Amino acid sequence: MAHLRETSDKALKLLRTLPRVQIGNLRPNPNSKQNDKRGRAQHGGDKHGAGNKGSGQRQNFMRLGYETGNQPFYLRFPYEPYYKGHHMKRQYPPISLLQLQVLIDTNRIDISQPVDISTLCNSGLLKLKPAEMEYGFQLTDEGLDNFKAKINIEVQHANEAVIAAIERNGGVIRTAYYDPRSLHMLANAKKWFEKGVPIPYRMMPPQDAVDYYTDAKNRGYLANPEEISKDRLVLAQKYGYQLPRIEDDSAYEMLSATKDPRQVFYGLEPGWLINVVDKTIMRRKK
């Protein structure tokens, strides 16, 4: 009897400490209820992930760029003048010195001949799209210390470090402008020659590009050759290398090869007609 009395005392003591049984603290047993209806965004749910009402629920998809509300983004914010004419700006796809060295090492480019846009596009690894405002290539300084080739290259844009890397190895670099028609010819020369049309003259650069291509520091094709020779020496002193003498080089003829400012292809003058089928050149009478 003593044992039962102790047990009942413990039970009563426990009931005194526990909260009262109320509607607010009643809970069903775990897993005793199953919800047959799954939530949103799941198959079998009431909304199927489409939300509540509106065009989204009815699969009436809004057009690309549409914003709900009365005032879209381009009306909420003021006009920014630095966007003016952005779609008309000339673009220059980059090609690094590292990429150029790889093209040379894999025999994609023959450095025994001058290199221009046509040579780079004929490698099969580089493309130029004049229709998308691409006006040529810019040579970047990635792989500057690993570039060892002696090359005569013509690009559309290059900085001072790139020019120094080319001339340090005894090479020659030149920046030149090409109009869109000339760029189409250089990007796919075979397709142009198959048209049976005489080679036209290259147009001169626009007013906003004249300063760049007449500056000897940029090795512009319209710059004074004497000023370019002086700046080659100044750049060699600045970067601390001995400037090789091109005149004493065995490949002097290749390194000194240049284009006329109105010429598009090396060795082909404006007005000549190229017959791809017969592999002949029809020269213009002087």
Side-chain angles (χ1 to χ4, degrees):
M1 294 294 294
H3 177 68
L4 292 175
R5 191 179 301 109
E6 291 177 0
T7 304
S8 61
D9 291 342
K10 288 181 179 180
L12 291 172
K13 187 177 180 180
L14 183 63
L15 285 174
R16 293 190 190 98
T17 58
L18 289 175
R20 290 182 174 273
V21 178
Q22 299 173 354
I23 296 178
N25 57 19
L26 290 178
R27 297 288 184 275
N29 292 329
N31 300 325
S32 62
K33 285 190 173 183
Q34 296 292 334
N35 187 8
D36 296 333
K37 185 177 177 181
R38 287 179 284 184
R40 288 176 55 183
Q42 296 184 17
H43 297 291
D46 58 343
K47 304 299 181 185
H48 299 278
N52 292 303
K53 302 182 181 178
S55 61
Q57 191 180 33
R58 297 177 177 84
Q59 294 188 355
N60 181 20
F61 301 114
M62 294 176 286
R63 68 178 187 274
L64 188 64
Y66 176 76
E67 298 181 47
T68 58
N70 296 328
Q71 215 174 19
F73 173 83
Y74 61 88
L75 291 179
R76 290 199 305 270
F77 292 89
Y79 170 71
E80 297 292 348
Y82 51 78
Y83 285 132
K84 184 178 180 180
H86 179 74
H87 64 290
M88 297 298 293
K89 291 183 179 179
R90 292 185 293 274
Q91 306 296 324
Y92 299 98
I95 171 175
S96 65
L97 287 171
L98 179 62
Q99 289 177 285
L100 185 61
Q101 186 66 57
V102 171
L103 291 174
I104 295 170
D105 294 340
T106 55
N107 296 324
R108 292 275 187 169
I109 291 179
D110 182 13
I111 59 174
S112 63
Q113 301 294 330
V115 177
D116 62 350
I117 295 176
S118 180
T119 308
L120 296 173
C121 291
N122 288 338
S123 66
L125 299 177
L126 298 171
K127 290 184 179 181
L128 190 67
K129 301 176 182 178
E132 298 182 8
M133 300 299 294
E134 294 182 355
Y135 275 72
F137 296 101
Q138 62 169 323
L139 199 57
T140 62
D141 55 4
E142 183 184 358
L144 188 71
D145 299 329
N146 298 326
F147 188 77
K148 305 299 180 183
K150 181 171 61 177
I151 188 173
N152 180 3
I153 186 169
E154 181 186 77
V155 292
Q156 283 57 63
H157 196 279
N159 57 26
E160 187 181 76
V162 171
I163 295 173
I166 298 290
E167 296 178 349
R168 179 182 58 198
N169 298 329
V172 176
I173 184 171
R174 192 175 299 101
T175 56
Y177 171 83
Y178 288 92
D179 58 281
R181 188 182 186 187
S182 301
L183 291 169
H184 278 286
M185 296 167 58
L186 291 166
N188 195 341
K190 182 181 178 182
K191 184 178 179 180
W192 173 266
F193 292 148
E194 287 175 349
K195 293 180 179 180
V197 180
I199 301 174
Y201 285 93
R202 185 185 1 166
M203 302 299 292
M204 298 303 289
Q207 192 64 35
D208 59 346
V210 170
D211 292 341
Y212 183 85
Y213 292 111
T214 55
D215 193 349
K217 294 182 180 180
N218 302 325
R219 303 299 186 266
Y221 74 118
L222 299 177
N224 190 344
E226 295 182 359
E227 294 182 3
I228 292 178
S229 299
K230 293 178 182 178
D231 198 77
R232 281 169 57 88
L233 183 59
V234 171
L235 196 63
Q237 294 174 349
K238 180 178 180 179
Y239 282 83
Y241 60 86
Q242 187 68 30
L243 184 66
R245 286 181 57 85
I246 299 176
E247 297 81 2
D248 302 334
D249 200 299
S250 58
Y252 172 72
E253 185 176 353
M254 182 274 294
L255 293 174
S256 61
T258 59
K259 294 180 184 178
D260 185 81
R262 304 300 301 273
Q263 188 178 356
V264 180
F265 297 99
Y266 279 107
L268 300 176
E269 295 183 6
W272 289 7
L273 182 63
I274 311 300
N275 191 330
V276 180
V277 178
D278 298 335
K279 297 182 180 179
T280 56
I281 299 176
M282 301 178 186
R283 293 176 173 83
R284 183 181 56 181
K285 289 183 179 182
K286 295 183 180 180

